[in-house]
Amino acid sequence: MYKSSTAVACNNNIEYKNRLFVYEVVGLSQNGNTKNLNYSIRNSGSVYLTVPYNRMNQEMQRISRLGGRIVSITPVNKENPVLEMSNSNQSEQQQQNSKSMTQAKEKVKVPVNIYRPKNPYVGKCLDIYDLVGEGGIGTCRHMTFDLSEGDLHYLEGQSIGIIPPGEDENGKPHKLRLYSIASTRHGDNLDDKTVSLCVRKLEYKHPETGELVEGVCSTYLCNLKPGDDVAITGPVGKEMLLPDDEDANIIMMATGTGIAPFRAYLWRMFEEGDLNPDYNFKGFAWLFFGIAKTPNILYKEKLESMQQQNPDNFRLTYAISREQKNPEGGRMYIQHRIAEHADELWELVQNPKTHTYICGLKGMEDGIDEAMSKAAEKHGVDWIEYRKQMKKEHRWHVETY
Ligand code: FAD
């Protein structure tokens, strides 16, 4: 089903791996560390290092250890083998470079709207189980639907629509609700014939009457039994696709069910092995996961065993708001963990191979921006402008709801 698209991705990977990049580095001349580098320092104080694609990460870390700071990264290609370029050229080149290296949406044909609301795919619920442990807050379930009777297929990071049965208060059929896909393209049964979701049952007190209100679609989904039929649309979404680059750094920031797309990424990176001959992840994945209590850590055992088995490639950082304290003594939310690691994250996001993904509660972005602003400010950089540039380069991805 994906043969032609993965072949393109594979060719692209080979091309990238043969490419060279020039790092412009400052700060090395001031700290006496130049003996560790075989490059002369210009009058401007800059050092130019030519780095092969597959050494970009290591070189970045070495420069950082030596106290240097990379101010630009420029690809050297056949047409333009010159090391020094004008600033405008550099930014154009940087943009082209990161575009070509990054989004799967540019290389793989992304399936969209195979099934629409007027003609949804009806699939059976195969499996459904609780994700919140004893003593946790609320209800959240993992559920898997059978796709074997149709043509519905998808990529990691996409969403599907669910149409709950029945009518709304105006007597019209319920509208669809979107849910992030929590499984890889191969599905939890590894046969390319299922799709899984991670759904939290919406429950709140009515602001006027104080009565308990249950969300229409999330309650319907959480109450499903194996064998029940479900109307599915989609897939949709290109914002949260994973890059094909096996050496990419993938920073993930999730709150609650925002873990869903990241479950798909992590399973693809660390669980599926031979199923993905064109994707052998060798990069670095870092998951920040914000939840209320330990029993609310969705997929906890699996995440932790994955981390233990891949200690060099996967880092896992929890913010458990009702159990851990932030430095001011208040609840530990995800933005406090981002603040704690902001300098490391700032180093990482400057690498054109780094993609940042945010998924979960609406509003979580502000705290992340605040933390990153402080780190960027130390280097005289306006974080909001920098983030906009990352967005243009398809390296900053947000899906909140
Ligand atoms: P509804 O019956 O539609 O009720 C929702 C409405 O209730 C709100 O619009 C608001 O008016 C009201 N309301 C909600 N909370 C309160 C409150 N505290 N006080 C007063 N009024 C309130 N959800 C998941 O569980 N998992 C996912 O993976 C997931 N992925 C998503 C991906 C995308 C791209 C988007 C857009 C949304 C995603 N959602 C996900 C959310 C999901 O689409 C639904 O919005 C959610 O399940 C609630 O739908 P519902 O039908 O149960 O609630």
Side-chain angles (χ1 to χ4, degrees):
M1 180 158 39
Y2 302 108
K3 254 192 186 135
S4 58
S5 50
T6 46
V8 173
C10 192
N11 282 343
N12 283 340
N13 276 343
I14 292 164
E15 248 174 56
Y16 303 142
K17 280 170 189 162
N18 292 335
R19 293 185 75 176
L20 295 173
F21 294 82
V22 175
Y23 287 6
E24 183 185 354
V25 182
V26 294
L28 294 172
S29 52
Q30 288 105 45
N31 58 26
N33 270 322
T34 53
K35 62 180 184 305
N36 293 309
L37 296 161
N38 301 322
Y39 299 88
S40 60
I41 294 178
R42 313 286 166 107
N43 288 340
S44 64
S46 291
V47 180
Y48 293 87
L49 308 179
T50 305
V51 183
Y53 177 80
N54 60 5
R55 285 205 45 83
M56 287 179 89
N57 263 344
Q58 288 102 310
E59 202 58 22
M60 212 162 261
Q61 282 160 13
R62 190 168 74 102
I63 290 163
S64 173
R65 275 200 306 276
L66 295 174
R69 184 163 66 84
I70 298 168
V71 292
S72 72
I73 298 175
T74 311
V76 183
N77 55 30
K78 281 182 228 120
E79 296 81 44
N80 190 5
V82 203
L83 295 194
E84 286 173 87
M85 291 184 236
S86 72
N87 282 342
S88 61
N89 256 350
Q90 281 191 13
S91 65
E92 249 171 54
Q93 284 288 323
Q94 266 172 295
Q95 226 170 303
Q96 275 176 18
N97 164 32
S98 39
K99 260 195 198 155
S100 61
M101 287 208 301
T102 54
Q103 257 310 9
K105 75 181 168 198
E106 291 166 357
K107 288 175 249 146
V108 179
K109 186 149 179 12
V110 182
V112 279
N113 289 320
I114 300 169
Y115 288 89
R116 292 177 184 272
K118 281 198 176 136
N119 189 21
Y121 174 78
V122 178
K124 287 213 182 301
C125 174
L126 294 177
D127 192 18
I128 176 161
Y129 59 85
D130 279 326
L131 289 170
V132 177
E134 219 180 305
I137 299 167
T139 303
C140 189
R141 297 206 162 122
H142 183 85
M143 56 202 71
T144 301
F145 307 129
D146 176 35
L147 301 180
S148 63
E149 301 296 316
D151 182 36
L152 186 59
H153 55 276
Y154 57 87
L155 296 175
E156 300 76 19
Q158 291 196 283
S159 299
I160 51 169
I162 300 290
I163 308 175
E167 293 171 346
D168 62 19
E169 65 274 14
N170 301 318
K172 298 231 168 85
H174 281 304
K175 292 210 166 68
L176 70 82
R177 270 69 162 176
L178 289 176
Y179 292 90
S180 307
I181 295 171
S183 48
T184 74
R185 65 190 72 183
H186 301 301
D188 286 354
N189 295 347
L190 306 179
D191 59 3
D192 294 22
K193 287 178 184 157
T194 66
V195 64
S196 297
L197 301 179
C198 165
V199 179
R200 183 181 82 90
K201 180 176 167 183
L202 174 65
E203 288 176 300
Y204 63 91
K205 287 237 167 77
H206 192 283
E208 281 148 29
T209 64
E211 274 172 47
L212 180 75
V213 184
E214 295 184 332
V216 172
C217 193
S218 58
T219 304
Y220 158 70
L221 285 171
C222 286
N223 288 342
L224 285 173
K225 301 271 171 294
D228 287 349
D229 282 336
V230 181
I232 305 172
T233 66
V236 294
K238 295 184 177 179
E239 173 65 22
M240 298 289 283
L241 300 173
L242 254 189
D244 290 338
D245 182 3
E246 300 170 331
D247 296 304
N249 302 311
I250 307 293
I251 301 170
M252 298 162 275
M253 303 176 185
T255 51
T257 54
I259 191 70
F262 305 146
R263 177 184 186 268
Y265 300 175
L266 292 166
W267 261 239
R268 179 162 169 79
M269 290 169 182
F270 301 118
E271 285 289 296
E272 292 186 336
D274 295 346
L275 256 189
N276 300 305
D278 297 323
Y279 186 74
N280 174 21
F281 183 70
K282 299 186 286 298
F284 173 63
W286 190 353
L287 172 65
F288 289 86
F289 193 6
I291 51 287
K293 295 168 85 174
T294 299
N296 287 93
I297 303 176
L298 313 171
Y299 310 107
K300 181 174 184 291
E301 284 74 29
K302 196 71 204 170
L303 289 175
E304 289 172 10
S305 75
M306 221 177 245
Q307 197 283 321
Q308 278 155 17
Q309 279 159 27
N310 302 279
D312 297 333
N313 301 85
F314 180 31
R315 191 167 171 186
L316 181 57
T317 305
Y318 295 135
I320 311 177
S321 63
R322 303 207 187 178
E323 295 174 10
Q324 299 172 332
K325 296 258 176 285
N326 69 37
E328 282 83 48
R331 286 181 174 179
M332 172 66 86
Y333 292 113
I334 193 161
Q335 64 265 29
H336 300 115
R337 286 287 182 224
I338 303 298
E340 192 179 312
H341 297 284
D343 291 333
E344 274 174 283
L345 287 167
W346 171 242
E347 283 293 313
L348 263 174
V349 297
Q350 289 174 84
N351 184 337
K353 293 150 73 67
T354 301
H355 292 251
T356 305
Y357 295 83
I358 297 177
C359 190
L361 289 180
K362 222 177 196 72
M364 64 186 279
E365 296 120 282
D366 289 350
I368 293 168
D369 276 340
E370 201 182 308
M372 292 305 293
S373 291
K374 283 190 188 144
E377 229 170 68
K378 291 185 199 163
H379 304 274
V381 177
D382 176 341
W383 166 251
I384 301 302
E385 287 307 312
Y386 195 86
R387 167 164 64 64
K388 283 184 190 156
Q389 186 56 35
M390 286 176 70
K391 176 90 189 151
K392 277 194 198 146
E393 294 167 3
H394 306 291
R395 300 199 295 119
W396 186 261
H397 315 262
V398 180
E399 193 155 271
T400 53
Y401 44 84

